[in-house]
Amino acid sequence: MLDLAIIGGGPAGLTAGLYATRGGLKEVVMFEKGMPGGQITSSSEIENYPGITEVMTGMDLMEKWPEQAMRFGMNHRMDEVDRVSKDENGIFKILLLGGEVVDARSVIVYTGSTPRRSGVKGESLFFGRGVSTCATCDGFFYKNQEVAVLGGGDTALEEALYLANICSKVYLIHRRDEFRASPITVEKIKKNQKIELVLNSVVDEIVGDDSGVNGVYVSDKHGNKRDLRVSGIFIFVGMNVNNAILVQEDGKPICDLNENGNVIVNLKMHTSVKGLFAAGDLRIDASKQVVCAAGDGATAGIQALEYVND
Ligand code: FAD
Ligand code: NAP
């Protein structure tokens, strides 16, 4: 039986593994369905992780984190978790996608969030053929071409800046005339000659042919329509909370969630179920920053250690 099962290998999960094993827990496994590192690995640049003064890609920032956590004994399994439940003896059951069940004394869930779909006509049809949610991954395919970006948050604006370095022009389409992104990023956007702001506007349809996207139809709040001839559109309209593994066979969550599906925790990352912790972007009131996810991970790792030792 595991002392601790960590579900999710982003900044929060990797930090929890480091603290729990360094603090003495022996049987600690981190279940991560992909490569460890989490969503920041899709970011083209990060410049606000304390102590790191150079601007680097999310991939570079996360490169050493798994190695450090594993040095103290954390094990990594590349497996997707289907469900977490707790039996009548207080033992957690980690059901993996293939059907295997792993027992654990304590569990920390750090499954983070994933990019939300906008629901625009043509988005699903052309997804992966001109519609993308990752500029770092796909931006290079549009070198010297015109592209559009949809959204007005930090992700949309930062990725629009990244794309402006590669593409000939970037249309930044946002449904309001004020941005949710931080003021410093908005300033950079406004100064960038390659970025055209298309504000108070929505995308009516993404259009294309067999070879992929070749345009987006946009209309503003006055009903004026535009046909933007772009070969790609990058959609950054927020994130969905990855809480599906908490849902039990009866359809109810194992622990308390808020109305948005975020896990309700206290300052020690305890959920409403003893021995089950949640942290990072998944929890209520998350600041959604790498440094905060790492801080949460340390707190939950220490709490899991105390819980198992007790
Ligand atoms: P995540 O990083 O989301 O990690 C969750 C992990 O869980 C993933 O690796 C996922 O594969 C795994 N997982 C999910 N479900 C399962 C399952 N069922 N079984 C197994 N594994 C599972 N923050 C900053 O501080 N500075 C920035 O500049 C910045 N830029 C960003 C740019 C972009 C494009 C994005 C998307 C985010 C950015 N953020 C930034 C936010 C930051 O990435 C997140 O706040 C942080 O990664 C959250 O960490 P986490 O560990 O909670 O979750
Ligand atoms: P976000 O802050 O939720 O912004 C989503 C944007 O998409 C908003 O501007 C929203 O418009 C727009 N939108 C939502 N649904 C839409 C739809 N269906 N059609 C068109 N537009 C739609 O999401 P995010 O930018 O992905 O950021 C997520 C979190 O990560 C945030 O907390 C953010 O601060 C953080 N983050 C931080 C950094 C950084 O620190 N450098 C970088 C990236 C992300 P409205 O504004 O009108 O609601």
Side-chain angles (χ1 to χ4, degrees), residues 230-252:
V230 293
S231 41
I233 176 163
F234 290 80
I235 296 181
F236 303 113
V237 294
M239 309 292 286
N240 284 329
V241 189
N242 296 328
N243 59 14
I245 65 166
L246 300 170
V247 179
Q248 306 299 288
E249 274 177 303
D250 63 3
K252 293 187 185 138

Side-chain angles (χ1 to χ4, degrees), residues 56-127:
M56 56 171 64
T57 65
M59 197 74 95
D60 285 344
L61 177 76
M62 297 311 295
E63 192 192 343
K64 297 276 182 199
W65 293 40
E67 181 189 322
Q68 188 185 16
M70 287 193 259
R71 197 190 321 148
F72 296 101
M74 185 194 81
N75 291 301
H76 166 217
R77 281 189 61 169
M78 198 189 264
D79 272 305
E80 182 162 351
V81 173
D82 195 29
R83 189 167 56 239
V84 176
S85 51
K86 195 178 185 185
D87 72 10
E88 55 288 355
N89 301 316
I91 303 299
F92 288 98
K93 304 280 174 188
I94 316 296
L95 172 65
L96 304 182
L97 215 53
E100 185 187 347
V101 178
V102 180
D103 288 357
R105 292 193 171 86
S106 64
V107 178
I108 316 181
V109 185
Y110 297 111
T111 42
S113 48
T114 41
R116 191 179 293 151
R117 298 285 177 99
S118 68
V120 167
K121 192 173 173 197
E123 179 183 42
S124 300
L125 181 64
F126 291 107
F127 203 88

Side-chain angles (χ1 to χ4, degrees), residues 10 20 32 64 77 93 116 134 186 191 204 211 254 268:
E32 165 56 57
K64 297 276 182 199
R77 281 189 61 169
K93 304 280 174 188
R116 191 179 293 151
C134 180
V186 176
K191 282 187 192 142
D204 297 323
S211 47
I254 182 174
K268 292 180 173 180

Side-chain angles (χ1 to χ4, degrees), residues 7-13 31-35 37-40 42-43 45-48 79-81 110-113 155 158-159 239 242 245 279-282 288-291 293:
I7 305 169
F31 296 89
E32 165 56 57
K33 65 180 177 179
M35 293 303 290
Q39 56 180 282
I40 192 64
S42 74
S43 174
E45 55 179 56
I46 171 159
E47 61 180 7
N48 56 7
D79 272 305
E80 182 162 351
V81 173
Y110 297 111
T111 42
S113 48
T155 306
E158 287 183 5
E159 299 311 297
M239 309 292 286
N242 296 328
I245 65 166
D281 278 14
L282 180 70
K288 296 186 178 154
Q289 293 288 291
V290 174
V291 65

